[in-house]
């Protein structure tokens, strides 16, 4: 009799699971979710194509007419801020702090002030306009906010369960954003876990991976399989003199990354009142200062700085000032303080390559390529203080990184983060996300 009851129970469970599997509502949600992931991929590819082309267009214009940025940048910055304050409040800055804050907000109305289709539209248009204006920005942070906003919109269209709505969809969008921005799917998943969520939750990893895979398929089909920073043949023996080289470079560049983050937090807070009263004029003034730096440096600080970083990381001969990293850091800091939309990922990687290039002059030529790579990782880790993400992003973005360089890159990320925390105790994205949460509370 007991055997019969157990068998009946099993049959009943199979029948129940079969009904769930064939549920129209379940499949509708799945199709909506998968369609959303593909849509995110298409948006990310279009956004990348537009931003990269506008970045190249401004670079060509600045080479032909070196003094034009003195006119274009102030006007462009002022137009961006006017549109931002009038129609797209919430689309300013990187976009990553907004997503982090949205993950902690329970109220749907408040969350919509951080991630929404209105903000996504503003982020798309105004970031592209920022590249057209020559700002020292990246597209990865905006891509994350764009992707998270699309997934959040899907969560409101369909009645996903609470976990999917509050965490899974936003994290999936963020992971897809990093994956699409850098063609680095593993880095996207790790970034979402380490930085956005702050912890590992196996209940949402399936959602993230599915989104990243579908988004990645779209990106591969349209843009092909490419390495963002090209190839690197750097090698470094850390058991010999190379270990000393690594420690010195990683600590120095990581500390500089911490200086950047500390300055960003302190100055942005200090000028908040000025920005509140005269945001358009302030942005115009900042744009003019960046243009002056650009003219004095031959235009090398405009845009994301990807081309210069690629040349330095791949050991190509390029005429670049030994102070490129410093000027790029200043230009990126000013671009962020102005309030325009734009990320700090790509410019920080470029500045890191510049600081690595600067440090390479202190060592023998055989260490040059390795020092640039270590400097890139350490400075980037110092800025964001997410060592696992930084190590994986750089290793995925740089093709042909030898197995012998994986451990040095890991150590560089750890040392860079540790050195950064000496001067900047709190990770920059976390500190900025707390400001958004405080703003939401004060406005409620």
């Amino acid at each position: 009799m007991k055997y019969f009851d157990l068998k009946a129970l099993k049959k009943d469970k199979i029948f129940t699971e079969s009904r769930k599997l064939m549920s129209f509502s379940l499949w509708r949600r799945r199709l909506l979710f998968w369609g959303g992931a593909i849509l995110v991929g298409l948006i990310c590819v279009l956004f990348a194509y537009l931003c990269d082309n506008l970045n190249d267009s401004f670079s060509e214009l600045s080479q032909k007419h070196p003094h034009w940025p003195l006119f274009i940048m102030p006007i462009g910055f002022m137009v961006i801020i006017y549109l931002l304050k009038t129609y797209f409040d919430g689309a300013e800055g990187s976009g990553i702090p907004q997503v982090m804050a949205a993950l902690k907000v329970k109220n749907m109305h408040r969350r919509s002030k951080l991630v929404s289709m209105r903000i996504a539209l503003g982020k798309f248009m105004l970031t592209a306009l920022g590249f057209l204006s020559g700002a020292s920005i990246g597209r990865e942070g905006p891509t994350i906010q764009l992707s998270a906003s699309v997934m959040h919109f899907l969560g409101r269209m369909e009645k996903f369960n609470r976990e999917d709505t509050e965490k899974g969809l936003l994290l999936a969008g963020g992971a897809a954003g990093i994956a699409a921005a850098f063609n680095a799917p593993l880095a996207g998943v790790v970034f979402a876990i380490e930085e956005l969520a702050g912890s590992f939750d196996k209940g949402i990893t399936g959602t993230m991976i599915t989104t990243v895979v579908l988004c990645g398929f779209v990106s591969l089909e349209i843009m092909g399989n490419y390495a963002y920073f090209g190839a690197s043949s750097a090698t470094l023996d850390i058991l010999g003199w190379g270990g000393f080289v690594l420690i010195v470079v990683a600590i120095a560049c990581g500390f500089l990354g911490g200086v950047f983050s500390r300055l960003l937090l302190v100055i942005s807070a200090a000028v908040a009142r000025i920005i509140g009263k005269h945001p358009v004029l302030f942005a115009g003034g900042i744009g003019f200062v960046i243009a002056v730096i650009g003219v004095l440096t031959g235009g090398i600080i405009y845009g994301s700085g990807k081309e210069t970083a690629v040349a330095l990381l791949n050991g190509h001969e390029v005429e670049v000032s030994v102070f490129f990293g410093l000027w790029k850091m200043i230009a990126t800091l000013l671009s962020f303080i102005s309030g325009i939309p734009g990320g700090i990922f790509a410019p920080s990687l470029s500045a890191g390559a510049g600081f690595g290039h600067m440090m390479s002059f202190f060592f023998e030529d055989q260490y040059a390529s390795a020092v640039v790579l270590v400097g890139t990782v350490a400075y980037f880790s110092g800025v964001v203080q997410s060592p696992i993400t930084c190590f994986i992003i750089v290793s995925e973005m740089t093709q042909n990184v030898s197995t012998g360089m994986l451990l040095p890159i890991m150590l560089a990320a750890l040392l860079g983060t540790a050195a950064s925390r000496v001067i900047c105790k709190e990770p920059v994205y976390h500190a900025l996300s707390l400001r958004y949460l405080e703003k939401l509370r004060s406005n409620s």
Side-chain angles (χ1 to χ4, degrees):
M1 188 69 180
K2 288 183 180 180
Y3 175 77
F4 175 79
D5 291 341
L6 180 61
K7 189 174 181 180
L9 178 62
K10 287 182 177 180
K11 285 183 178 181
D12 183 64
K13 289 181 68 175
I14 293 173
F15 177 73
T16 303
E17 292 300 322
S18 298
R19 287 189 61 185
K20 287 182 179 179
L21 186 64
M22 298 303 294
S23 169
F24 174 76
S25 176
L26 177 63
W27 278 101
R28 183 182 63 191
R29 293 184 183 185
R30 285 178 176 173
L31 290 173
L32 185 63
F33 174 76
W34 295 339
I38 294 172
L39 177 61
V40 165
L42 291 171
I43 292 173
C44 290
V45 169
L46 176 61
F47 186 59
Y49 178 81
L50 179 62
C51 290
D52 290 347
N53 277 273
L54 292 176
N55 185 39
D56 294 340
S57 297
F58 185 89
S59 297
E60 292 176 7
L61 178 64
S62 65
Q63 292 300 318
K64 293 180 181 178
H65 308 283
H67 293 91
W68 263 99
L70 294 172
F71 171 77
I72 296 174
M73 294 190 75
I75 298 298
F77 276 46
M78 287 192 289
V79 170
I80 292 170
I81 292 299
Y82 174 77
L83 294 174
L84 177 71
K85 296 297 182 182
T86 306
Y87 304 107
F88 303 111
D89 186 39
E92 67 280 349
S94 164
I96 294 175
Q98 289 95 313
V99 176
M100 294 176 66
L103 286 165
K104 299 175 183 178
V105 175
K106 303 295 183 181
N107 183 278
M108 189 68 75
H109 176 69
R110 289 185 181 179
R111 191 183 300 141
S112 296
K113 295 181 179 180
L114 301 168
V115 284
S116 68
M117 293 306 292
R118 174 188 62 82
I119 290 176
L121 177 61
K123 204 75 172 185
F124 189 101
M125 294 170 51
L126 300 183
T127 303
L129 189 55
F131 277 104
L132 185 60
S133 302
S136 179
I137 55 176
R139 54 177 167 81
E140 64 300 317
T143 304
I144 290 174
Q145 192 177 17
L146 268 171
S147 305
S149 294
V150 171
M151 300 304 285
H152 170 72
F153 177 71
L154 292 176
R156 300 194 66 177
M157 284 181 60
E158 182 60 50
K159 294 181 180 179
F160 289 104
N161 61 52
R162 183 176 180 182
E163 182 181 60
D164 280 338
T165 302
E166 292 187 355
K167 297 200 71 175
L169 293 175
L170 290 174
L171 287 172
I178 283 288
F182 291 128
N183 189 32
L186 180 58
V189 174
V190 173
F191 178 81
I193 294 172
E194 183 183 25
E195 187 68 21
L196 296 180
S199 62
F200 178 78
D201 185 347
K202 65 180 181 179
I204 58 178
T205 53
T207 304
M208 283 193 295
I209 293 174
T210 302
T211 306
V212 169
V213 168
L214 291 173
C215 185
F217 274 135
V218 174
S219 178
L220 286 173
E221 181 65 26
I222 299 175
M223 302 182 69
N225 190 16
Y226 68 97
Y228 188 90
F229 276 150
S232 174
S233 57
T235 58
L236 187 66
D237 180 14
I238 60 174
L239 297 180
W241 180 251
F244 173 77
V245 172
L246 183 147
I247 292 172
V248 172
V249 174
I251 291 177
C253 292
F255 183 80
L256 288 170
V259 170
F260 171 83
S261 294
R262 182 65 178 170
L263 288 174
L264 186 149
L265 293 174
V266 172
I267 297 177
S268 60
V271 301
R273 183 173 296 180
I274 299 175
I275 294 175
K277 292 181 178 179
H278 308 286
V280 176
L281 290 177
F282 180 81
I286 292 291
F288 182 77
V289 173
I290 297 173
V292 170
I293 295 174
V295 171
L296 294 176
T297 57
I300 203 168
I301 55 93
Y302 300 135
S304 65
K306 175 186 173 182
E307 295 77 13
T308 304
V310 169
L312 293 174
L313 285 166
N314 289 274
H316 298 160
E317 291 187 8
V318 57
E319 293 185 6
V320 57
S321 168
V322 69
F323 298 109
F324 164 69
L326 177 62
W327 290 122
K328 189 63 180 174
M329 181 179 79
I330 294 172
T332 306
L333 178 64
L334 291 173
S335 295
F336 184 90
I337 292 170
S338 71
I340 67 171
I344 62 175
F345 256 61
S348 294
L349 288 165
S350 301
F355 283 122
H357 173 66
M358 178 192 291
M359 295 289 294
S360 68
F361 288 96
F362 294 97
F363 305 100
E364 297 177 17
D365 291 343
Q366 62 177 327
Y367 296 113
S369 296
V371 168
V372 173
L373 185 58
V374 168
T376 303
V377 177
Y379 179 83
F380 184 42
S381 299
V383 171
V384 300
Q385 296 187 8
S386 300
I388 300 176
T389 298
C390 296
F391 148 68
I392 292 176
I393 280 183
V394 174
S395 61
E396 275 195 289
M397 289 166 54
T398 310
Q399 197 177 38
N400 297 337
V401 171
S402 64
T403 305
M405 280 301 293
L406 293 179
L407 184 57
I409 292 175
M410 288 183 187
L411 290 174
L414 291 173
L415 290 172
T417 301
S420 171
R421 287 176 178 166
V422 172
I423 190 169
C424 187
K425 304 297 183 182
E426 193 173 20
V428 63
Y429 289 134
H430 177 69
L432 291 173
S433 69
L434 292 179
R435 292 183 185 179
Y436 279 103
L437 290 173
E438 183 62 31
K439 182 180 177 180
L440 288 175
R441 293 191 192 99
S442 61
N443 292 337
S444 61

